[in-house]
Every structure is written in structure tokens, then in C-alpha cells.
């Protein structure tokens, strides 16, 4: 069929164009659509507008059988079906641009090198600019940005190698083919597009060229964006001829342009504006759902839109609240449903390949559904324990070093760990794309991930063979993450109603529709207008870029064929919408939506952000301006808090609900009981406070390490969870030097004495021998690591040598202090305690413990401790000061003196007649006994209380979970914070002996 000239219709407003332009088009086309060979299309900007048109057709009783509603994305996919070489996916283009940038990072020109590094780390920003420039018909050299020119030139070369083109170039090529080719569509209606949609200019022209009959409906320009809109209409006039005004439809008898109130001289009813401020996102979502109920109860509520700036937690919570109230709605944002490439194990594998270190491997190990693919002889916990122990020995977070260290051990489990690490394939540091993919498929085959391999093969196809450039592993992994995406969108049953009265949409999807009520949700600072974000170049270069864009837009526009005042774009060009135009577009869309609501508008925001609850989160500038305009007063902090209180009252008011709330479930009631019990300061710790029930049922008697007992008085909840639940906080691997240095120092000092077979004590050596043995032990540690690194072709880092030298110096310093001791001729190092049985505190109370004493000094050689005078020395690698008997009670309660107290009691239990103890550190000047076992007698009640804790399993809770100052181990299970004053009162009632005699300020 011969192609007819396209028709361009101009209407005052697209929201009012239904009767005058769009409905008549449907009336002409729909009866014949199913008879045509080619399909008929309705092209709209968003799916939300498509649903609006479909709902109008259904309301008029029309069927849209044979008619396709498409958005720009689906139209492009429709046009690309027959392309011999489809346009490249964005993730492929980002990879090529990153490769081009990485090759330019070492250029001698500093500005070019810095620009290349920035692009390699974030190629999407520059690619977006290049795509827009290509669509506008310009090349990057027109902008005169020399720092980025080498990167863009190399990017163009890689595009040619891979036979790729940018999106704008693909659209222009397709347009040239369409002008010479056959028709693909019968009737095409394009509506809802304006100057905002210049990036789709060539795509829309493609649809027009391929149609036998095309109609374009555009809106008259608005004053706030008129130049770009005028050029948009003028350019369409160059394609379609002079624009036509849509003919006015006749009003039905009795219809009037004015309401009865207006004809009587009254003013038109003004729309109502409401403002909601929730404390957080959850409260805001609940308030929005309540406001929906209020609006829906009004007779004039024909169509309600809940408008969001983007996807996130808030739309999901609002949809869930509406579903809970059985309100049908269209969840236009939906929520993400993860696929195989969004699983925890895949993400952990990506992180492991990106950084093959201890923590990344352990996350991968724990994420695997079947850990036997790594090792059939090691469990997860055993594998993790081996690697953590190995890391604590070498302190190099490198899997290759840890692998060789395990392989050098005689232990079979360490050997198994080394074999598992050797068998696990890793990606090379640099390779071509084809080589990376080949190795990736080998890894997936080793792990048994067949579906992953098939998905990757389906999206890569043959183009990687065209790319022979080598590039870093980090760029490949980023591309793999972007390419391998299998997530989908899902909605609840109540939220899957496209034509419902309640629509949850973004700002763009809600444009050009009729609304009786609107709720703008999440309108906080930065939400709308959205921030421009980071750019692809430095600030001064971006300013120059924007000036160049303005000049390009002036060059792209020309006088149209209709004479002066008629503006259009030159052939093969369009306009480039820069950051200032994007901001103007966002503001215009917001104000257009405000005007579209006929009855009521609500703006909602949160008072605080979830990630920084201590800071107030200001509403957006649109929220603030609208509040000032409608309420005639500024939006101050006091006003915000007042609105928050009013919103909370509104949320807690059950009257707006259309159905009664369900009574709380039993488990919810039990939660409330536990919540209140934990906050009752008048009662001691109970079963909800990290304690076993106080009945006579069976309870285990865990053997506690001395370290556990030392921490039980400061963090009892963590020790209780460790011993009774088997969960403990993750090790702090951020800075292991302090712990490992201490371990090294203890190990080296343990070798200063040489105990003969079967003897308990060794002869106390001279100062020269002590220093020599410490130095030899330390040097052996350094030599072992050097051997490992040499075998792997690695260098021992300077920071490791520095830490090792510091530990070596500290060990020699403490060894020198030990050598100054006189009158003690015999010694025993690393003496285990607790194997002989429980330590009796009183006749009725005993402690089951285990530990290891750093150094025991004796005056006589013997086979046991009966009748001996003993001096216990505990090494401290920090700046711990010596103990004082005057502060002994508080030292025991805080745990600083508890370790030596327990060792002294254990040694006394073994028969020693006199037991002294002291701390030895760099801060201790006088090396002499600091504590006697007889000094502990007045404080027996402290040890009795500890024994009762062990016997009953009633520990309790103490201290802040996340203290503002100082360090506290993280809780391994989610735990609500309790006010510290309440915790102290309950601790005093539960363990009266474990309370400080002096306040902290008295010690200062």
C-alpha cells in the first residue's frame, strides 16, 4: 500500500486530547486493524501511559485486538528484529570504553592520564554523553576536550573492531534504510512525546517512515520549556507538513464549560494540599496507605496516583500496606526478584575473583550450597578454622601465601586445605575477553554451575573473538556482573491490576494522564529534582562541555521551511539535553503533575534517614516551596516536628481503615512480653536476658576459658551466646597486628627455657641466653615467610617487616626484664591450668575453667607445686600498668585483674603455699610480685558470683551494644539496645558482687 503523508496534530494539552484527537483515531483504526497485513502501533513514552489509554478504551467498550502498544524500548526491539548486526548492549560498550581508558592510564600527559583513570573506574558517565552526542549528530571532537580525546579515539577503534555502533548511529542507519525500504506497519499513533524526548527523535522517525499511515499528536509548548518544544514541533512539521489543530468535539446537550458554582459568580473549588512527615520510611509508608484510604472514600476520587522519584524500599512498603488492606492497585515499580546471578554464592564468587583474600574466600565458602565441591574431607568450620589460624601466623592476606603455608604443615587437615585451594581455578590478572570467558567456563564447570555457563554463553555469543586487547581482571568482572543479570520484577496479587484506580508510578510514567488525587511519596532532599550526580570529567571541563553543548544546539537548529519563526533541527541532527535542561525537565514534570490533579494533592517525606537516624532529613525544595505557597508560612524544623506528630497520630488512628485490624498473634504478644521484661529495672535478669530458666531442668555446665571469665564481667551476653548457643562474633580482621604481635611475643618468650623430658621446671637462663633465644625464634618466623614468598615470586611487604621488627623488639625488651629477676632459679613457660579438675572457691562453689599461664617462677625444682613458693607472671604487649591491691576489687570486676586472680587460686588449689602474681609489660618499671593469693581472700564473693553464673547459666546483659566511644565486639545475633541505666540496675540485682565500688570519674 502506498504511504500517505504523516499527520501532525497539535492539542492544548495531552490530558485533554482524548476527545479531540486520540479517541477519533481509535474509532477510525480499530474496526479495520485486524484486517491489515501489517500491525498497527500506538507509541507512548512509558508503560503507565499505555495502561491509561487501554483503560480508556475498556471504559468506552472498545477492544484493542490487533493493536500493539509500545514504548521506545520495545519499539527499538521491534525494529531491530531484522537487523543483521544489532546494536551493542550498553554493558558491552561500557567494557570497551573502560578498556580504552585503561590503555591510556600511563600516558605522559598528566591530564590525559587522570582523565583515563576516571573513565576506567566509571565509564557509564562518559558513555552516556557519547550516546547523547551521537544521537544529536555530533562527534566528540566538536567539544574540544583534549584530555579525553585519546580515550574516545581508542574507543572508536575498538567499536570498529567489534562491528559495534552507538545507539544514535544505529537509529540513523535504520532511518536511512526505512526511507528506501518496504512498510512494516499499517497505522501508527505517536502521542505523549515532547521536547523531553529528543534522544528518541530518530527512533520515532523510524516508526513514521515504516508506517503506511502515521499520526503524531503533540502538545502546545509551555512557557517554561518553550524553545526546545518549539523546535520539537517545528522539526515534526518538516517531516509531516504544517501542523493541524485537533478539531473540537461537540459537547453533549446540557454540558457546560463552567460549573454551576462558577456561573453563579463563585470561585472554582481549590484542590486540597496535605503534608505528611513520617519518622522513618516505615511510618511514611503507613501514612501514605492511610491517605489512600481517605482519598478513596471520597466521591470525587476517580483516579489516585502515588508518585515516587524511583524504586526502593518505600514503594515496596506502600504496596505491601495497600495489599494488607485489600486495596487493588497497579504496582508500576514492582520489586526485584533475584535470579541465579543475584544469588549469594555468585556474588561471593565474583568478590573472591576480584580480591582472592581470606575474607572473600570465607564468604564464598559459607555461601556455597554444597561445600564438598571444594573439599570432601573438610567441613566448613574446619576449613575456616585452618585458614584463620594460618592467617594469624603469617599475617599476609593472600590466598596463595596461605595455601603454601598450609601445604608446608604436616597436619593432614592443613594439607587438605592446601589441596582444595590449589584445585580451585582463578581468573588471570590480565587476559583477552575470550581468554577470560574460557577460564570462567572452566571455573563454572568445576563448581557444577551449568545453568550459569549457559546463560553467559547466550549473552556473549561470538563478538569476544573480535577483541584481541588484554585488559585487567577487574574490568572483566564488572562487565560480567552487568551482563549476567537474571533478576525479574514481581508484584503481589493485589498490586497486579494495571487498570486499577490506585496507580503506583514514577514521575515520568504518570505524565499526560488525568488524576483526581495525587500523593508524592518520599519527597525528601535529593529525591526531586534528582541530583545530577557525578560527571565524567573535572568541574571546569564539565563547564566547558556545557558551553560547547549550547553552541552545538544552536548549530543544530535552523529556520524551517515555513519561514521566519519556524525552527527545526538540521537533517541527521537533534538537540542535546544537558544537565540544566534535565533539571528543568524534572521540575516541569513535577509541576505538570500538580496541575493534573483536580481534587487533592499530598506530599510525604521522612524525618530521618535509615542509615543516619541521628540526623534530620530535610524535605525537597519542591516540598518546601509548595508548603510555603499553600500554607503561607515557612517550613521550619519546629513545623517539621509538628507535622511528624500529626502524622503519627493519623497513622495510629484506626478510623480511616475500611476493615478492623486483626488481633495480635501469640508470637507477637510473646515479643511484647519479652520487650517489657527486659526493660523492667526492678527485677534481676531472667530468661529474656541471656539466661537459662531458673527451674530445676537439666542445664549444661560449660567449661569456661580464663579469657571467657575475663570478658564475662564486661560482655556477659556475648560469652553466654558463645557457650550456650554456639555462636560468636566474627573475628576482627581489620587490624590483626595487635593480636598476632602479642601471639608472636608470647611464643618467642615461651622458648627462653628448655625443659628436659618429664620435668616440670627448667633452669632459669642468663640474660644473654634469653636474648639469644628470643632473637633466634623471631628470625625463624621471618625466614619462614621469606621462603614462602620466594617460592611464589612475591616480595615480603615493608609494612610486614616493620610490624615484625616491632614485635621482635618488644619480645627482647620483656626478655631483658625477666632476666633482671633474682632469687628465682627455676621456671615453667606456658603452663596449662584446669586439667586437674575444678578450682574450689568455697566448700560449696567451684569453677570449671581452663587456661595457660605465661610464666611460672619457683625457687626450688620439684615434680609438682605442693609446698612451693610460686610467682606467676603474665605478659602484656600493651601499656598495661602494674596491679595495686587498693584497686583490686574494681580490677577484678572490670576483668583487668581477674586472669591473675584465677591463676593464683588454681595454683593455690594445686598445693602451693605462697602464690604471688604480677603483670609484665613495657609500662611496668619494677619487676616484682604485685599480688598475693592472700589479697584475694576479702574478694571471695566475686569468685563465688562467677561460679554461680557458670552453674545456673544466668548471665544477663551489660554495656552498650554499639558504644559511641571505644570498641565493643559485635553481637552475633540481632539484639535490641536497652538503656544503659536499666542494664546497670538489673546487673546489680542479678550479680551484686560484680558491681564497681568506684565510679569511672573517681578513677580519673
Amino acid at each position: 500500500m502506498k504511504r500517505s503523508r504523516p499527520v501532525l496534530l497539535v492539542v492544548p494539552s495531552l490530558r485533554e486530547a482524548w476527545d479531540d484527537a486520540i479517541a477519533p483515531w481509535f474509532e477510525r483504526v480499530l474496526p479495520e486493524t485486524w484486517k491489515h497485513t501489517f500491525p498497527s502501533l500506538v507509541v507512548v513514552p512509558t508503560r503507565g501511559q499505555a495502561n491509561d489509554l487501554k483503560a480508556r478504551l475498556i471504559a468506552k467498550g472498545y477492544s484493542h485486538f490487533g493493536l500493539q502498544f509500545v514504548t521506545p524500548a520495545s519499539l527499538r526491539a521491534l525494529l531491530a528484529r531484522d537487523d543483521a548486526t544489532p546494536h551493542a548492549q550498553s554493558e558491552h560498550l561500557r567494557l570497551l570504553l573502560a578498556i580504552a581508558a585503561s590503555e591510556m592510564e600511563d600516558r605522559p600527559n598528566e591530564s590525559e592520564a587522570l582523565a583515563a583513570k576516571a573513565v576506567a573506574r566509571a565509564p557509564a558517565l562518559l558513555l552516556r554523553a557519547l550516546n547523547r552526542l551521537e544521537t544529536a549528530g555530533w562527534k566528540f571532537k566538536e567539544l574540544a576536550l583534549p584530555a579525553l580525546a585519546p580515550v574516545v579515539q581508542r574507543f572508536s577503534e575498538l567499536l570498529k573492531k567489534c562491528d559495534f555502533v552507538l545507539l544514535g548511529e544505529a537509529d540513523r542507519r535504520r532511518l536511512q534504510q526505512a526511507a528506501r525500504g518496504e512498510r512494516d506497519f499499517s497505522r501508527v499513533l505517536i502521542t505523549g512525546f515532547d521536547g523531553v524526548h529528543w534522544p528518541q527523535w530518530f527512533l520515532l522517525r523510524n516508526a513514521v517512515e515504516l508506517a503506511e499511515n502515521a499520526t503524531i499528536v503533540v502538545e502546545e509548548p509551555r512557557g517554561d520549556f518553550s524553545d526546545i518544544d518549539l523546535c520539537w514541533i517545528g522539526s515534526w512539521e518538516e517531516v509531516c507538513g504544517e501542523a493541524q489543530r485537533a478539531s473540537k468535539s461537540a459537547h453533549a446537550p446540557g454540558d457546560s464549560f463552567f460549573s454551576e458554582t462558577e456561573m453563579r459568580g463563585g470561585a472554582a473549588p481549590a484542590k486540597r494540599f496535605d503534608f505528611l512527615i513520617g519518622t522513618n520510611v516505615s511510618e511514611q509508608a503507613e501514612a501514605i496507605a492511610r491517605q489512600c484510604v481517605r482519598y478513596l472514600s471520597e466521591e470525587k476520587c476517580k483516579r489516585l496516583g502515588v508518585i515516587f522519584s524511583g524504586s526502593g524500599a518505600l514503594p515496596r512498603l506502600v504496596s505491601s500496606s495497600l495489599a494488607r488492606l485489600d486495596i487493588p492497585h497497579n504496582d508500576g515499580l514492582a520489586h526485584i526478584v533475584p535470579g541465579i546471578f543475584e544469588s549469594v554464592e555468585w556474588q561471593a564468587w565474583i568478590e573472591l575473583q576480584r580480591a582472592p583474600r581470606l575474607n572473600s574466600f570465607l564468604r564464598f565458602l559459607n555461601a556455597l550450597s554444597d561445600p564438598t565441591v571444594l573439599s570432601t574431607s573438610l567441613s566448613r568450620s574446619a576449613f575456616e578454622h585452618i585458614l584463620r589460624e594460618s592467617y594469624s601466623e603469617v599475617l599476609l592476606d593472600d590466598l596463595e601465601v596461605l595455601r603454601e603455608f598450609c601445604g608446608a604443615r604436616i597436619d593432614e587437615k592443613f594439607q587438605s586445605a592446601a589441596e582444595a585451594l590449589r584445585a580451585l581455578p582463578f581468573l588471570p590478572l590480565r587476559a583477552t575477553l575470550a581468554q577470560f570467558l574460557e577460564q570462567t567456563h572452566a571455573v563454572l564447570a568445576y563448581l557444577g554451575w551449568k545453568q550459569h555457563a549457559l546463560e553467559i554463553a547466550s549473552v556473549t555469543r561470538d563478538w569476544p573473538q573480535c577483541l584481541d586487547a588484554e585488559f585487567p581482571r577487574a574490568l572483566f568482572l564488572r562487565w560480567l556482573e552487568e551482563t549476567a543479570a537474571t533478576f525479574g520484577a514481581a508484584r503481589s496479587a493485589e498490586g497486579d491490576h494495571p487498570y486499577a484506580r490506585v496507580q503506583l508510578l514514577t514521575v515520568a510514567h504518570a505524565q499526560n494522564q488525568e488524576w483526581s488525587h495525587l500523593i508524592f511519596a518520599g519527597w525528601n532532599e535529593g529525591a526531586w529534582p534528582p541530583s545530577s550526580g557525578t560527571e565524567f570529567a573535572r568541574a571546569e571541563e564539565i563547564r566547558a562541555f556545557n558551553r560547547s553543548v549550547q553552541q552545538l544546539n544552536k548549530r543544530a537548529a535552523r529556520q524551517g521551511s515555513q519561514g521566519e519563526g519556524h525552527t527545526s533541527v538540521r537533517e541527521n541532527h537533534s538537540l542535546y539535553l544537558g544537565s540544566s535542561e534535565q533539571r528543568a525537565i524534572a521540575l516541569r514534570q513535577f509541576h505538570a503533575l500538580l496541575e493534573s490533579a483536580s481534587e487533592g494533592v499530598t506530599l510525604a517525606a521522612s524525618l530521618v534517614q535509615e542509615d543516619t537516624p541521628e540526623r534530620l532529613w530535610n524535605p525537597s525544595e519542591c516540598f518546601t516551596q509548595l508548603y510555603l505557597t499553600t500554607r503561607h508560612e515557612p517550613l521550619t524544623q519546629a513545623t517539621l516536628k509538628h507535622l511528624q506528630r500529626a502524622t503519627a497520630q493519623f497513622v495510629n488512628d484506626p478510623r480511616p481503615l475500611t476493615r478492623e485490624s486483626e488481633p495480635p498473634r501469640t508470637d507477637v504478644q510473646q515479643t511484647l512480653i519479652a520487650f517489657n521484661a527486659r526493660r523492667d529495672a526492678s527485677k534481676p535478669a531472667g530468661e529474656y536476658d541471656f539466661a537459662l530458666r531458673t527451674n530445676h531442668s537439666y542445664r549444661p555446665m560449660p567449661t569456661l576459658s580464663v579469657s571467657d571469665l575475663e570478658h564475662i564481667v564486661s560482655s556477659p551476653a556475648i560469652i553466654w551466646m558463645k557457650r550456650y548457643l554456639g555462636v560468636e562474633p566474627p573475628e576482627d580482621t581489620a587490624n590483626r597486628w595487635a593480636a598476632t604481635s602479642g601471639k608472636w611475643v608470647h611464643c618467642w618468650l615461651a622458648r627462653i627455657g628448655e625443659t628436659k623430658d618429664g620435668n616440670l621446671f627448667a633452669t632459669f637462663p642468663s640474660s644473654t641466653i634469653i636474648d639469644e633465644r628470643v632473637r633466634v625464634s623471631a628470625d625463624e618466623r621471618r625466614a619462614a615467610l621469606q621462603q614462602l614468598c620466594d617460592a611464589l615470586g612475591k616480595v615480603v611487604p615493608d609494612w610486614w617487616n616493620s610490624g615484625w621488627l616491632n614485635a621482635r623488639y618488644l619480645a627482647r625488651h620483656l626478655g631483658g626484664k625477666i632476666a633482671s629477676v633474682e632469687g628465682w632459679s627455676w621456671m615453667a613457660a606456658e603452663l596449662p591450668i584446669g586439667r586437674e579438675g575444678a578450682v574450689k572457691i568455697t566448700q560449696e562453689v567451684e569453677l570449671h575453667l581452663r587456661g595457660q599461664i605465661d610464666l611460672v617462677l619457683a625457687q626450688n625444682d620439684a615434680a609438682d607445686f605442693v609446698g612451693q613458693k610460686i610467682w606467676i607472671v603474665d605478659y602484656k604487649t600493651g601499656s598495661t600498668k602494674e596491679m595495686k591491691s587498693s584497686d583490686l576489687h574494681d580490677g577484678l570486676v572490670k576483668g583487668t585483674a581477674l586472669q591473675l586472680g584465677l591463676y593464683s587460686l588454681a595454683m593455690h588449689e594445686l598445693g602451693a603455699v605462697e602464690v604471688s602474681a604480677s603483670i609484665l609489660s613495657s609500662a611496668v618499671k619494677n619487676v616484682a610480685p604485685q599480688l598475693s593469693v592472700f589479697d584475694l581472700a576479702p574478694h571471695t564473693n566475686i569468685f563465688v558470683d562467677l561460679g554461680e553464673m557458670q552453674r545456673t547459666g544466668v548471665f544477663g546483659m551489660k554495656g552498650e551494644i554499639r558504644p559511641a566511644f571505644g570498641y565493643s565486639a559485635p553481637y552475633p545475633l540481632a539484639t535490641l539496645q536497652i538503656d544503659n541505666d536499666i542494664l546497670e540496675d538489673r546487673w546489680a540485682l542479678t550479680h551484686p558482687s560484680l558491681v564497681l565500688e568506684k565510679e569511672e570519674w573517681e578513677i580519673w
Side-chain angles (χ1 to χ4, degrees):
M1 180 178 177
K2 186 178 179 180
R3 175 176 179 266
S4 60
R5 189 177 180 89
V7 176
L8 178 64
L9 297 178
V10 178
V11 295
S13 170
L14 286 174
R15 294 189 305 274
E16 303 166 1
W18 171 259
D19 293 329
D20 301 334
I22 300 175
W25 185 88
F26 281 121
E27 290 172 357
R28 292 194 307 270
V29 172
L30 284 175
E32 304 294 328
T33 298
W34 62 277
K35 299 179 182 179
H36 294 294
T37 305
F38 299 122
S40 296
L41 300 184
V42 178
V43 186
V44 290
T46 64
R47 187 175 61 253
Q49 295 173 40
N51 289 337
D52 178 52
L53 292 179
K54 291 178 183 179
R56 289 175 180 271
L57 290 175
I58 292 172
K60 292 180 71 71
Y62 292 161
S63 168
H64 50 79
F65 177 72
L67 198 62
Q68 294 185 35
F69 289 80
V70 295
T71 61
S74 52
L75 175 61
R76 182 171 282 111
L78 195 63
L79 296 177
R81 288 182 305 180
D82 301 326
D83 284 358
T85 55
H87 72 274
Q89 299 296 325
S90 297
E91 52 269 20
H92 302 342
L93 297 177
R94 286 193 291 271
L95 174 63
L96 294 184
L97 185 55
I99 293 172
S102 67
E103 293 177 358
M104 304 296 162
E105 289 183 354
D106 297 328
R107 291 180 73 87
N109 187 304
E110 184 180 6
S111 61
E112 292 179 354
L114 290 175
K117 290 177 181 178
V119 174
R121 284 156 181 75
L125 301 172
L126 180 57
L127 180 62
R128 182 180 60 190
L130 292 174
N131 261 322
R132 291 178 181 175
L133 278 173
E134 188 67 41
T135 302
W138 303 106
K139 299 301 181 184
F140 191 78
K141 61 183 179 181
E142 305 276 353
L143 297 177
L145 292 177
L148 293 164
V151 174
V152 177
Q153 181 179 354
R154 176 57 178 158
F155 175 57
S156 301
E157 295 172 359
L158 292 177
L159 284 178
K160 290 179 182 178
K161 272 190 175 182
C162 299
D163 197 21
F164 285 163
V165 293
L166 296 179
L167 206 58
E169 178 64 21
D171 287 342
R172 268 201 304 277
R173 288 183 183 180
R174 198 177 291 117
L175 178 60
Q176 293 171 358
Q177 296 171 0
R180 302 187 300 267
E182 298 293 330
R183 305 303 103 193
D184 287 343
F185 309 119
S186 175
R187 304 287 190 273
V188 170
L189 171 66
I190 298 176
T191 180
F193 294 89
D194 54 22
V196 174
H197 301 95
W198 274 110
Q200 280 83 45
W201 169 245
F202 293 105
L203 177 67
L204 297 177
R205 284 193 58 189
N206 265 293
V208 172
E209 287 292 335
L210 293 172
E212 296 174 350
N213 183 288
T215 301
I216 301 98
V217 181
V218 296
E219 184 183 359
E220 287 183 352
R222 292 174 175 266
D224 54 356
F225 212 46
S226 57
D227 290 344
I228 293 180
D229 282 332
L230 280 172
C231 192
W232 177 261
I233 296 175
S235 300
W236 276 117
E237 286 185 311
E238 288 294 301
V239 175
C240 307
E242 185 177 353
Q244 304 175 21
R245 293 282 176 178
S247 58
K248 298 288 182 181
S249 60
H251 288 273
D255 284 356
S256 174
F257 287 104
F258 304 99
S259 66
E260 182 179 353
T261 303
E262 291 174 302
M263 289 190 291
R264 291 179 181 275
K271 65 184 72 172
R272 187 179 73 243
F273 287 89
D274 293 316
F275 300 89
L276 299 174
I277 298 291
T279 304
N280 48 37
V281 173
S282 299
E283 188 176 73
Q284 183 190 169
E286 190 63 29
I288 291 169
R290 298 293 182 108
Q291 188 73 341
C292 288
V293 173
R294 175 187 285 179
Y295 280 157
L296 291 171
S297 65
E298 297 180 7
E299 183 180 354
K300 294 183 178 181
C301 183
K302 305 299 182 185
R303 203 157 181 265
L304 167 60
V306 185
I307 312 302
F308 303 89
S309 60
S311 58
L314 183 59
R316 180 78 182 273
L317 290 171
V318 172
S319 179
S320 298
S321 297
L322 294 175
R324 192 173 64 251
L325 296 172
D326 291 335
I327 298 177
H329 61 280
N330 175 38
D331 184 4
L333 290 90
H335 60 270
I336 300 300
V337 177
I340 57 172
F341 288 112
E342 289 73 39
S343 63
V344 178
E345 57 185 3
W346 172 260
Q347 298 298 326
W349 180 82
I350 289 285
E351 188 59 33
L352 172 63
Q353 297 295 331
R354 182 177 286 117
R357 303 181 185 278
L358 174 62
N359 283 340
S360 58
F361 177 80
L362 293 180
R363 279 193 293 270
F364 173 66
L365 173 66
N366 291 319
L368 284 173
S369 57
D370 181 17
T372 58
V373 297
L374 297 182
S375 175
T376 56
S377 59
L378 290 176
S379 64
R380 291 185 210 263
S381 57
F383 208 156
E384 179 173 352
H385 176 74
I386 289 169
L387 291 179
R388 288 197 182 279
E389 182 180 338
S390 301
Y391 173 68
S392 67
E393 291 288 338
V394 300
L395 269 185
L396 274 182
D397 195 0
D398 186 312
L399 276 187
E400 288 185 325
V401 174
L402 295 178
R403 180 193 67 203
E404 296 306 314
F405 178 83
C406 292
R409 298 282 294 268
I410 302 176
D411 193 303
E412 290 185 3
K413 291 186 176 180
F414 281 82
Q415 292 286 339
S416 299
E419 292 173 5
L421 291 176
R422 288 192 190 99
L424 179 63
F426 284 90
L427 300 178
L429 290 175
R430 290 183 66 88
T432 64
L433 181 58
Q435 291 168 345
F436 273 129
L437 286 172
E438 182 181 359
Q439 186 65 11
T440 300
H441 283 288
V443 176
L444 298 180
Y446 175 80
L447 296 173
W449 293 354
K450 297 180 180 179
Q451 188 62 34
H452 295 72
L454 290 174
E455 292 286 346
I456 293 174
S458 67
V459 296
T460 53
R461 300 184 181 178
D462 299 330
W463 77 271
Q465 305 299 328
C466 304
L467 188 62
D468 57 0
E470 289 191 351
F471 55 93
R473 178 175 60 198
L475 301 186
F476 170 75
L477 290 172
R478 184 173 65 194
W479 170 81
L480 189 60
E481 281 186 294
E482 295 171 353
T483 303
T486 53
F487 59 82
R491 301 170 178 85
S492 64
E494 293 81 359
D496 196 15
H497 296 273
Y499 313 132
R501 273 202 300 169
V502 182
Q503 298 279 323
L504 274 58
L505 302 171
T506 61
V507 176
H509 283 230
Q511 296 294 307
N512 303 318
Q513 302 177 44
E514 291 184 354
W515 304 100
S516 61
H517 297 79
L518 284 174
I519 301 175
F520 293 90
W523 239 241
N524 279 96
E525 190 174 32
W528 205 265
S531 59
S532 57
T534 55
E535 294 287 355
F536 60 85
R538 293 173 295 180
E540 60 270 18
E541 293 175 324
I542 292 299
R543 286 192 290 269
F545 173 79
N546 290 333
R547 288 193 297 269
S548 300
V549 165
Q550 292 172 3
Q551 295 300 319
L552 292 180
N553 283 342
K554 289 180 181 179
R555 289 167 56 187
R558 63 177 177 87
Q559 181 175 304
S561 60
Q562 299 179 26
E564 188 174 351
H566 180 208
T567 306
S568 67
V569 292
R570 299 181 185 277
E571 190 61 29
N572 288 326
H573 288 80
S574 67
L575 297 187
Y576 185 106
L577 301 181
S579 57
S580 59
E581 288 83 6
Q582 295 290 340
R583 178 179 173 81
I585 288 170
L587 291 174
R588 168 174 136 171
Q589 289 177 333
F590 173 72
H591 291 296
L593 278 177
L594 281 181
E595 293 177 13
S596 68
S598 59
E599 300 299 328
V601 174
T602 297
L603 272 75
S606 295
L607 194 63
V608 297
Q609 286 180 291
E610 299 292 328
D611 51 350
T612 54
E614 68 278 1
R615 295 175 55 191
L616 290 179
W617 193 12
N618 291 326
S620 69
E621 58 181 281
C622 295
F623 190 113
T624 305
Q625 291 174 0
L626 193 61
Y627 186 88
L628 178 63
T629 303
T630 57
R631 299 294 173 88
H632 308 291
E633 62 179 14
L635 186 62
T636 62
Q637 295 293 332
T639 307
L640 280 176
K641 292 180 180 179
H642 172 74
L643 287 173
Q644 186 273 324
R645 289 192 292 269
T647 302
Q649 185 177 2
F650 172 59
V651 168
N652 295 324
D653 184 2
R655 288 176 295 176
L657 294 179
T658 57
R659 71 175 200 180
E660 295 182 0
S661 300
E662 297 180 359
R665 303 191 306 270
T666 304
D667 55 348
V668 175
Q669 292 177 333
Q670 188 63 35
T671 302
L672 180 61
I673 293 172
F675 183 90
N676 293 330
R678 295 184 65 206
R679 287 158 180 80
D680 188 351
S682 64
K683 294 181 180 178
E687 60 186 280
Y688 304 112
D689 301 280
F690 303 98
L692 301 180
R693 290 179 176 175
T694 55
N695 53 25
H696 297 287
S697 61
Y698 167 77
R699 62 191 66 239
M701 181 76 76
T703 299
L704 300 175
S705 68
V706 173
S707 178
D708 287 342
L709 289 167
E710 191 176 15
H711 290 94
I712 205 172
V713 292
S714 58
S715 303
I718 291 179
I719 303 302
W720 189 89
M721 286 187 280
K722 175 183 177 181
R723 291 304 171 193
Y724 287 100
L725 303 183
V727 294
E728 52 186 314
E731 293 187 33
D732 181 21
T733 57
N735 183 13
R736 288 295 304 268
W737 268 107
T740 301
S741 295
K743 184 177 180 181
W744 285 349
V745 170
H746 282 70
C747 179
W748 299 337
L749 290 174
R751 299 181 184 178
I752 62 176
E754 293 184 351
T755 305
K756 296 181 179 179
D757 294 340
N759 292 345
L760 179 61
F761 293 106
T763 305
F764 193 88
S766 66
S767 59
T768 305
I769 294 176
I770 289 176
D771 187 65
E772 180 184 356
R773 289 175 179 173
V774 169
R775 285 188 291 105
V776 169
S777 298
D779 293 343
E780 287 175 355
R781 169 68 60 190
R782 172 67 175 77
L785 182 66
Q786 184 66 58
Q787 185 178 0
L788 280 178
C789 291
D790 290 343
L792 295 169
K794 298 178 182 289
V795 178
V796 178
D798 292 339
W799 53 264
W800 193 96
N801 284 321
S802 176
W804 169 78
L805 285 171
N806 180 67
R808 185 174 184 266
Y809 165 78
L810 183 57
R812 293 181 66 190
H813 179 68
L814 295 181
K817 291 196 172 194
I818 295 170
S820 65
V821 172
E822 296 179 357
W824 302 84
S825 304
W826 300 91
M827 61 171 290
E830 294 190 345
L831 184 71
I833 291 296
R835 297 177 180 177
E836 296 80 8
V839 177
K840 283 194 174 183
I841 308 300
T842 64
Q843 291 298 325
E844 295 80 16
V845 180
E846 58 185 15
L847 269 171
H848 296 263
L849 57 85
R850 65 176 186 275
Q852 186 170 273
I853 303 176
D854 292 338
L855 181 64
V856 176
L857 299 178
Q859 294 179 345
N860 301 306
D861 185 19
D864 53 33
F865 299 101
V866 177
Q868 286 270 36
K869 292 183 179 180
I870 297 299
W871 181 10
I872 299 172
V873 178
D874 187 37
Y875 305 135
K876 299 294 182 184
T877 53
S879 56
T880 308
K881 297 181 180 180
E882 61 267 23
M883 295 183 298
K884 298 178 180 178
S885 57
S886 58
D887 297 328
L888 185 55
H889 178 275
D890 286 356
L892 292 170
V893 169
K894 289 191 292 186
T896 56
L898 189 58
Q899 187 176 28
L900 283 178
L902 292 168
Y903 286 153
S904 299
L905 290 175
M907 199 57 68
H908 189 65
E909 183 73 16
L910 292 175
V913 293
E914 293 185 20
V915 181
S916 302
S918 62
I919 288 174
L920 183 62
S921 71
S922 59
V924 175
K925 297 179 180 179
N926 184 25
V927 183
Q930 302 161 5
L931 173 71
S932 169
V933 71
F934 302 110
D935 296 329
L936 299 173
H939 308 288
T940 303
N941 55 344
I942 292 177
F943 299 99
V944 170
D945 219 335
L946 291 175
E948 283 297 303
M949 289 176 69
Q950 186 181 43
R951 185 184 66 83
T952 61
V954 177
F955 283 28
M957 185 176 177
K958 186 180 181 184
E960 296 177 289
I961 295 179
R962 287 174 290 274
F965 304 98
Y967 171 78
S968 177
Y971 277 47
L973 298 178
T975 307
L976 286 178
Q977 175 68 54
I978 309 295
D979 185 80
N980 205 42
D981 292 337
I982 297 176
L983 291 178
E984 289 184 2
D985 292 342
R986 292 173 66 84
W987 180 261
L989 292 172
T990 310
H991 308 292
S993 301
L994 302 179
V995 178
L996 293 174
E997 291 182 344
K998 296 180 181 179
E999 298 291 342
E1000 294 291 340
W1001 61 268
E1002 294 183 77
I1003 301 174
W1004 297 346

